[in-house]
Amino acid sequence: MSELSVNHLLGIKYLTKKDIQLIFETADHFKEVINRSIKKVPTLRDITIANIFFENSTRTKLSFELAEKRLSADIINFSASQSSVKKGETLIDTVNNILSMKVDMVVLRHPNPGAGIFLAKHVKAAIVNAGDGAHEHPTQALLDSYSIREKLGTVAGKNVLIVGDILHSRVALSNIFALKLQGANIKVCGPRTLLPKYIESLGVSVETDLRKALEWCDVANMLRVQSERMDISYFPTTREYTQQFGLNKALLQELDKEIVVMHPGPINRGVEITSDVADSGQSIILGQVENGVAIRMAVIYLLASKIK
Ligand code: CP
């Protein structure tokens, strides 16, 4: 039987193309399950999962929680802001205390890059990275590629554009790794100040003219400007950013083809994308969120099968 090459999901960087194919095939099965009238399977009745969130989240937190419930796992939810972390408890002490309650898997969101990698070295549980600072957000990249595959039939050979704050985006980095593994062509577009100097070494091309970049792509993944990770100004004003890098209906109508529009959320409407694009038939934004549950069920199921 096929299994993942890894015991933790710490980043797309550590996955193989076969791992991604296996996750997608497993997600296909779970997508069928969550569209039945009874959306639940008893598969993980003997597994306990802790969702440990040190950063705010809507989609990822709820999506993991729902995925775990659909698989019949027992779950506990930990939010750092309401915990003894506020009294000075360390990450390892916090997690080891939670694990002593017989927990098998930890889903971790943390503001520090590498937090999941660090934890995997020091605690006895399967670790799933639910976003570590500006480093990786592997399940987001998996659900993004899965949504492209669902919409366009395949990811291989497709031209995928990632627009916005590439510098601070874990979604961009994980997407680049995932799309490369699957044979997509990748371009990034944004203000020079928000494009890392090393970006081309990852095998992606750069375009600072959004109109030209849109002409090239089959898919445009619009990213939010991550103001919470900025301590200096990277562009003059939000208005100028929107004029140069915001996606609006007029721009889309000028193209001589229809492109697929994506966004990982949360959206800043009127900044990186207008409402008439986000809510249009070209947008698969809510489809991405739906697919997130199936992808996370697949990841949890495949990792759990390695600890049984
Ligand atoms: N896409 C994403 O990670 O959203 P949340 O921050 O709401 O989880």
Side-chain angles (χ1 to χ4, degrees), residues 53 56-61 109 130 137 140 170-171 264-266 296:
F53 278 66
N56 295 341
S57 169
T58 298
R59 279 145 293 271
T60 312
K61 190 168 188 290
R109 171 166 285 195
H137 192 349
Q140 179 68 47
R170 55 194 174 205
V171 174
R296 290 176 175 121

Short mmCIF file of all heavy atoms in Angstrom, two decimals, residues 53 56-61 109 130 137 140 170-171 264-266 296, ligand 1:
data_model
loop_
_atom_site.label_atom_id
_atom_site.label_comp_id
_atom_site.label_asym_id
_atom_site.label_seq_id
_atom_site.Cartn_x
_atom_site.Cartn_y
_atom_site.Cartn_z
N PHE A 53 -2.60 26.80 18.09
CA PHE A 53 -2.51 28.01 17.26
C PHE A 53 -1.97 29.18 18.07
O PHE A 53 -2.58 29.63 19.03
CB PHE A 53 -3.89 28.34 16.65
CG PHE A 53 -4.16 27.51 15.41
CD1 PHE A 53 -4.31 26.14 15.49
CD2 PHE A 53 -4.20 28.12 14.16
CE1 PHE A 53 -4.52 25.37 14.34
CE2 PHE A 53 -4.40 27.36 13.00
CZ PHE A 53 -4.56 25.99 13.10
N ASN A 56 -3.52 34.09 14.74
CA ASN A 56 -4.93 34.08 14.35
C ASN A 56 -5.16 33.26 13.08
O ASN A 56 -4.27 33.18 12.23
CB ASN A 56 -5.42 35.52 14.11
CG ASN A 56 -5.40 36.33 15.38
OD1 ASN A 56 -5.37 35.76 16.47
ND2 ASN A 56 -5.41 37.64 15.25
N SER A 57 -6.33 32.70 12.98
CA SER A 57 -6.69 31.93 11.78
C SER A 57 -8.20 31.75 11.74
O SER A 57 -8.83 31.57 12.79
CB SER A 57 -6.02 30.56 11.83
OG SER A 57 -6.55 29.71 10.83
N THR A 58 -8.76 31.81 10.55
CA THR A 58 -10.17 31.44 10.37
C THR A 58 -10.22 30.14 9.57
O THR A 58 -10.62 29.09 10.08
CB THR A 58 -10.94 32.55 9.63
OG1 THR A 58 -10.91 33.72 10.43
CG2 THR A 58 -12.39 32.15 9.37
N ARG A 59 -9.78 30.20 8.29
CA ARG A 59 -9.89 29.05 7.39
C ARG A 59 -9.12 27.84 7.88
O ARG A 59 -9.66 26.73 7.98
CB ARG A 59 -9.36 29.41 5.98
CG ARG A 59 -10.33 30.16 5.11
CD ARG A 59 -9.57 31.14 4.24
NE ARG A 59 -9.01 32.15 5.11
CZ ARG A 59 -9.67 33.26 5.45
NH1 ARG A 59 -10.82 33.51 4.92
NH2 ARG A 59 -9.15 34.13 6.29
N THR A 60 -7.83 28.00 8.15
CA THR A 60 -6.97 26.86 8.45
C THR A 60 -7.43 26.15 9.72
O THR A 60 -7.54 24.92 9.76
CB THR A 60 -5.51 27.32 8.58
OG1 THR A 60 -5.20 28.15 7.47
CG2 THR A 60 -4.56 26.15 8.62
N LYS A 61 -7.73 26.93 10.76
CA LYS A 61 -8.12 26.36 12.05
C LYS A 61 -9.44 25.58 11.92
O LYS A 61 -9.53 24.42 12.33
CB LYS A 61 -8.25 27.49 13.07
CG LYS A 61 -8.41 27.04 14.50
CD LYS A 61 -8.23 28.26 15.41
CE LYS A 61 -8.19 27.88 16.87
NZ LYS A 61 -9.49 27.44 17.36
N ARG A 109 0.20 26.18 14.22
CA ARG A 109 0.44 27.47 13.55
C ARG A 109 1.25 28.33 14.51
O ARG A 109 0.90 28.47 15.69
CB ARG A 109 -0.87 28.17 13.19
CG ARG A 109 -0.60 29.61 12.70
CD ARG A 109 -1.74 30.25 12.02
NE ARG A 109 -1.93 29.70 10.68
CZ ARG A 109 -2.69 30.29 9.76
NH1 ARG A 109 -3.30 31.42 10.03
NH2 ARG A 109 -2.83 29.75 8.57
N ALA A 130 0.79 24.24 10.12
CA ALA A 130 -0.40 24.98 9.64
C ALA A 130 -0.05 26.43 9.34
O ALA A 130 -0.93 27.30 9.34
CB ALA A 130 -1.51 24.89 10.67
N HIS A 137 3.37 27.13 4.28
CA HIS A 137 1.97 26.85 4.63
C HIS A 137 1.57 25.68 3.71
O HIS A 137 0.85 25.84 2.73
CB HIS A 137 1.12 28.09 4.38
CG HIS A 137 -0.26 28.04 4.96
ND1 HIS A 137 -0.83 26.89 5.47
CD2 HIS A 137 -1.21 29.00 5.09
CE1 HIS A 137 -2.05 27.15 5.90
NE2 HIS A 137 -2.30 28.42 5.68
N GLN A 140 -2.05 24.78 2.59
CA GLN A 140 -2.63 25.80 1.69
C GLN A 140 -2.15 25.54 0.25
O GLN A 140 -2.94 25.58 -0.69
CB GLN A 140 -2.21 27.20 2.15
CG GLN A 140 -2.76 28.33 1.27
CD GLN A 140 -4.28 28.49 1.36
OE1 GLN A 140 -4.83 28.51 2.45
NE2 GLN A 140 -4.95 28.58 0.22
N ARG A 170 4.21 32.89 3.20
CA ARG A 170 4.43 31.44 3.29
C ARG A 170 3.62 30.72 2.22
O ARG A 170 3.98 29.64 1.77
CB ARG A 170 4.07 30.95 4.69
CG ARG A 170 2.65 31.32 5.14
CD ARG A 170 2.50 31.11 6.62
NE ARG A 170 1.20 31.56 7.14
CZ ARG A 170 1.01 31.93 8.39
NH1 ARG A 170 2.00 31.97 9.24
NH2 ARG A 170 -0.19 32.29 8.82
N VAL A 171 2.49 31.32 1.83
CA VAL A 171 1.66 30.71 0.78
C VAL A 171 2.43 30.71 -0.54
O VAL A 171 2.42 29.71 -1.27
CB VAL A 171 0.33 31.49 0.63
CG1 VAL A 171 -0.48 30.97 -0.55
CG2 VAL A 171 -0.49 31.39 1.92
N PRO A 264 -5.80 32.93 -1.30
CA PRO A 264 -5.82 32.03 -0.13
C PRO A 264 -6.68 32.55 1.02
O PRO A 264 -7.01 31.78 1.94
CB PRO A 264 -4.34 31.98 0.29
CG PRO A 264 -3.77 33.27 -0.20
CD PRO A 264 -4.52 33.62 -1.46
N GLY A 265 -7.04 33.85 0.98
CA GLY A 265 -7.75 34.45 2.10
C GLY A 265 -6.78 34.71 3.26
O GLY A 265 -5.74 34.07 3.33
N PRO A 266 -7.08 35.63 4.16
CA PRO A 266 -8.21 36.55 4.09
C PRO A 266 -8.02 37.61 3.02
O PRO A 266 -6.89 38.05 2.78
CB PRO A 266 -8.24 37.18 5.49
CG PRO A 266 -6.84 37.06 6.01
CD PRO A 266 -6.27 35.81 5.39
N ARG A 296 -6.99 18.38 3.97
CA ARG A 296 -6.50 18.21 5.36
C ARG A 296 -6.92 16.84 5.89
O ARG A 296 -6.18 16.23 6.66
CB ARG A 296 -6.97 19.39 6.21
CG ARG A 296 -6.21 20.64 5.80
CD ARG A 296 -6.61 21.92 6.46
NE ARG A 296 -5.70 22.97 6.02
CZ ARG A 296 -6.07 24.09 5.39
NH1 ARG A 296 -7.34 24.35 5.15
NH2 ARG A 296 -5.17 24.97 5.01
N1 CP B 1 -5.41 30.97 4.15
C1 CP B 1 -5.24 31.01 5.49
O1 CP B 1 -4.26 30.50 6.03
O2 CP B 1 -6.22 31.67 6.16
P1 CP B 1 -6.31 31.79 7.77
O3 CP B 1 -5.18 32.66 8.20
O4 CP B 1 -7.66 32.38 8.05
O5 CP B 1 -6.16 30.41 8.33
#
